Amino acid sequence: MAAASHSQPGASVPESEGITHNGTDTAEGLGFQSEKAKAKADAKAKAKAEKEAKKAANAAARGQKQAAPTQPDENDPLKDQYGDAQLVQSQATTERKWTRVEALNKDLENQQVLLRGRVATVRGKGKSCFIVLRQRTATIQVVLFTNDKTVSKGMVKYASNLSRESIIDVAGTVVVPQEPVIACTQSQVELHVTSIHCISRADVLPFEVSDAARSEEEIAEAEAAGELKARVSQDVRLNGRYIDLRTAANQAIFKVQSGVCQLFREILVSEGFQEIHTPKLLAGASEGGSSVFKFNYMGREGCLAQSPQFYKQMAIMADQEKVFEIGPVFRAENSFTHRHLCEFTGLDFEMAINEHYSEVMDVIDRLFVYIFNGLNAKYGKDLELIGQQFPFKPLQYQQQNLRLPFEDGIKMLQAAGYDADPQGDLSTELERELGKLVKEKYKTDFYMLYNYPLAVRPFYTMPSPHNSQYSNSFDVFIRGEEIISGAQRIHEPKLLTERAKALGIPVDTIQTYIDSFKYGAVPHGGAGVGMERVVMLFCKLDNIRKTSLFPRDPKRLTP
């Protein structure tokens, strides 16, 4: 009876609890069933572990098989002709000569050359491999065909698995193809490879260079056709700027930028100017206002130079007569516009004048005509490359450029219906609108606006002798945006001190600057040019960050 009470008809009890199907529940039965279940579970777990281990081993084997080969097969007779090169560590020099990709043409047909460049694209297909090799803006098609004499199967496999943007050395024969290779700049030739070695393998890219090089027009056309083309945002570009700069347009932009600086130097040196290098650590603000970076300088307050203004003027007081500088300028402006940076490159000059500050404007006129003519003559291919991604119309300018009084510019705006203050500065919007009006009336994108109100100019600007509310100053514009501020400077210490106090500048912080005019001061004037703005506006780019190598704005301090 007692046994029956432990096993009610129809009761459902898990076997894991040691209850047999016939109702036996003795201690011996329970123990036997427990040991049996444990042994069965252990065996099952062991089998599962062995299965997982075998699966992992197979996966590892597949991974090794599929991984990009970095070294040749030891049994390959052509094993010395391909593979990852030893780290270039200045171990030795050789007699090898590398040829520039841009130098390859039909004249080199059947010649052996050695090239170094980046893998722009790679496509392996059966017993062949096609690589587009890029060197700055020049590209050439590199081909490998298996023939077991100069190219092996292992060689093709190795080349086909190279990652995009890797650096490689390729040697081979220059061949003239039956049809031009329209996708490459060196379209009349291609290279048939006899050796290929990787110098540096590229990791997975944060974005593709080909995507970064795509124009907005191309993206729009693709979208209209129902296709999707990647667009790389500005922040993504700037975060990986060292990759973004590899695009053809960016390569060209910074060649043009280099050209602006070179031409700036050439014309000024030819006119008797000498280059100087001024301090960027100052005791006081060089332009006044709050847009100054302050720092602790050995226990006292210092400022980063907002311009080389003080020191180029002191150079004139030191009888250097005509000076210029190309250097960094720092502005703590919390501006998030398309044309402002916290650090940019200034193209500055200062000169002694004899009678009138128009002598400075004469230099600017010759200077920019020389720069514009030089860019068009020497950098035509680069401007074309920029235009392919960022289409623009060539800058319209005159060999003798327009000079417009500030008051006349205000009248033009007022006549067109704009509320322009004769005693105020021009807003960005008004500058653009005036640029349009000037272009329509005078057929030029480049002009000077002079005799600005004194209230909107720096403290060292000479007041106008005809109207004390105005000044002997000017701005210069390209496509309706300001690129230059210039003026005759105050060279009389008492007036300079009065102006500094009027604008709230602590005189004690600029006393050495004021003192430089106490011992015989030469009348003088000059100007400061924003290099990045010149390039941006000459090429009609939409953002100054495109013309700054590694931009610094209120939110960006890296890379």
Side-chain angles (χ1 to χ4, degrees):
M1 295 292 292
S5 68
H6 286 283
S7 181
Q8 299 297 325
S12 176
V13 182
E15 288 188 9
S16 60
E17 293 184 12
I19 306 301
T20 63
H21 291 292
N22 61 7
T24 304
D25 61 351
T26 62
E28 292 83 354
L30 290 170
F32 174 76
Q33 292 296 330
S34 178
E35 290 177 4
K36 185 177 179 180
K38 184 176 184 298
K40 184 177 180 180
D42 288 345
K44 186 176 180 181
K46 183 179 180 181
K48 183 177 180 180
E50 290 175 350
K51 184 178 180 180
E52 291 295 331
K54 185 176 181 180
K55 185 177 179 181
N58 290 338
R62 286 196 305 273
Q64 290 177 353
K65 185 177 180 181
Q66 293 172 359
T70 60
Q71 297 302 331
D73 185 340
E74 286 298 319
N75 298 319
D76 190 340
L78 297 174
K79 63 182 180 181
D80 292 335
Q81 300 306 107
Y82 66 100
D84 284 14
Q86 181 183 7
L87 177 67
V88 178
Q89 206 170 358
S90 302
Q91 294 93 332
T93 58
T94 69
E95 297 299 318
R96 294 181 299 169
K97 301 293 183 183
W98 280 262
T99 300
R100 298 292 299 174
V101 171
E102 63 190 1
L104 299 175
N105 55 45
K106 288 182 177 180
D107 294 339
L108 298 178
E109 185 178 11
N110 296 325
Q111 291 190 29
Q112 298 292 310
V113 296
L114 173 63
L115 309 176
R116 177 170 292 177
R118 289 191 182 275
V119 176
T121 64
V122 58
R123 178 171 57 91
K125 186 177 181 181
K127 296 183 178 181
S128 63
C129 179
F130 298 83
I131 294 173
V132 172
L133 187 74
R134 188 183 75 245
Q135 191 180 73
R136 297 207 72 179
T137 58
T139 55
I140 186 171
Q141 179 167 269
V142 172
V143 298
L144 298 90
F145 297 107
T146 301
N147 57 24
D148 293 327
K149 293 182 179 179
T150 57
V151 177
S152 65
K153 291 180 180 178
M155 200 167 171
V156 169
K157 181 179 179 182
Y158 172 82
S160 299
N161 283 280
L162 289 166
S163 55
R164 288 187 296 278
E165 296 302 301
S166 292
I167 306 293
I168 62 173
D169 275 356
V170 287
T173 305
V174 178
V175 174
V176 177
Q178 292 182 348
E179 298 291 335
V181 185
I182 58 174
C184 294
T185 62
Q186 311 312 107
S187 59
Q188 301 302 313
V189 292
E190 62 184 17
L191 187 73
H192 286 206
V193 174
T194 56
S195 76
I196 180 167
H197 295 90
C198 186
I199 304 302
S200 175
R201 284 185 178 269
D203 287 345
V204 177
L205 300 167
F207 56 88
E208 295 291 340
V209 174
S210 57
D211 291 338
R214 189 171 291 122
S215 70
E216 286 296 319
E217 286 72 13
E218 186 180 350
I219 294 173
E221 289 174 3
E223 290 176 348
E227 301 175 15
L228 186 62
K229 297 283 188 180
R231 176 187 282 110
V232 184
S233 71
Q234 178 175 276
D235 280 342
V236 171
R237 288 174 181 273
L238 295 181
N239 289 340
R241 187 62 161 160
Y242 35 82
I243 296 173
D244 181 45
L245 290 171
R246 296 175 188 176
T247 67
N250 278 330
Q251 291 285 315
I253 285 170
F254 290 96
K255 282 187 180 179
V256 169
Q257 186 186 95
S258 176
V260 168
C261 294
Q262 180 182 343
L263 294 164
F264 181 82
R265 277 193 175 96
E266 286 177 0
I267 180 65
L268 291 182
V269 168
S270 74
E271 295 212 0
F273 285 75
Q274 70 179 50
E275 187 167 5
I276 60 173
H277 305 282
T278 62
K280 304 308 168 195
L281 306 181
L282 310 182
S286 49
E287 297 292 332
S290 60
S291 60
V292 57
F293 287 106
K294 297 180 180 180
F295 63 93
N296 185 307
Y297 186 77
M298 307 301 180
R300 52 188 169 137
E301 188 177 271
C303 301
L304 290 179
Q306 296 166 293
S307 77
Q309 188 59 49
F310 292 174
Y311 295 96
K312 61 179 183 174
Q313 287 185 255
M314 290 183 193
I316 301 301
M317 296 310 103
D319 293 343
Q320 295 189 20
E321 293 187 347
K322 296 180 178 181
V323 299
F324 73 91
E325 180 174 16
I326 300 176
V329 173
F330 304 93
R331 301 285 172 88
E333 295 178 337
N334 197 24
S335 299
F336 296 91
T337 74
H338 74 287
R339 66 177 190 168
H340 285 95
L341 291 171
C342 292
E343 179 183 354
F344 62 90
T345 301
L347 310 178
D348 281 84
F349 75 87
E350 202 76 14
M351 57 182 279
I353 63 173
N354 293 317
E355 295 179 322
H356 199 280
Y357 76 102
S358 62
E359 297 166 36
V360 180
M361 289 192 282
D362 292 342
V363 171
I364 288 176
D365 202 355
R366 295 191 297 271
L367 169 66
F368 276 90
V369 168
Y370 184 83
I371 289 176
F372 297 156
N373 288 346
L375 291 178
N376 288 326
K378 298 179 180 180
Y379 296 88
K381 289 184 179 179
D382 296 299
L383 295 172
E384 183 179 345
L385 282 173
I386 296 169
Q388 288 173 9
Q389 184 169 359
F390 308 110
F392 69 96
K393 292 182 179 180
L395 186 76
Q396 190 171 348
Y397 61 98
Q398 302 164 353
Q399 298 302 307
Q400 182 73 38
N401 285 289
L402 173 68
R403 300 180 191 181
L404 190 67
F406 183 84
E407 290 179 291
D408 288 358
I410 293 296
K411 290 177 182 177
M412 288 178 67
L413 286 167
Q414 291 173 339
Y418 294 97
D419 183 15
D421 182 2
Q423 293 301 317
D425 206 353
L426 295 180
S427 66
T428 300
E429 180 186 359
L430 288 178
E431 286 180 357
R432 286 178 180 166
E433 294 306 320
L434 183 57
K436 293 176 184 177
L437 296 172
V438 168
K439 177 70 176 288
E440 182 179 353
K441 183 174 182 179
Y442 297 101
K443 311 304 179 187
T444 181
D445 289 314
F446 179 84
Y447 73 98
M448 305 181 199
L449 197 63
Y450 66 96
N451 279 6
Y452 267 74
L454 183 64
V456 301
R457 306 304 281 194
F459 75 95
Y460 49 75
T461 304
M462 182 68 79
S464 168
H466 308 296
N467 187 335
S468 61
Q469 291 186 314
Y470 287 87
S471 63
N472 294 348
S473 64
F474 57 88
D475 279 357
V476 181
F477 298 85
I478 296 179
R479 301 188 197 268
E481 294 198 38
E482 177 242 319
I483 61 160
I484 296 176
S485 285
Q488 179 185 358
R489 322 301 189 183
I490 296 174
H491 59 279
E492 204 285 313
K494 182 180 178 181
L495 178 57
L496 188 59
T497 301
E498 291 174 358
R499 289 292 301 147
K501 289 180 178 179
L503 294 185
I505 298 174
V507 175
D508 60 323
T509 65
I510 58 171
Q511 192 59 56
T512 55
Y513 164 68
I514 295 174
D515 288 346
S516 69
F517 304 106
K518 290 182 177 180
Y519 308 102
V522 181
H524 62 286
V529 185
M531 180 197 66
E532 289 86 351
R533 283 194 190 179
V534 173
V535 180
M536 176 184 77
L537 294 168
F538 186 84
C539 300
K540 204 176 182 181
L541 298 169
D542 62 357
N543 198 298
I544 199 168
R545 291 158 184 81
K546 286 185 169 72
T547 59
S548 177
L549 198 65
F550 293 97
R552 293 292 178 262
D553 60 29
K555 286 190 175 181
R556 184 167 292 279
L557 200 55
T558 60

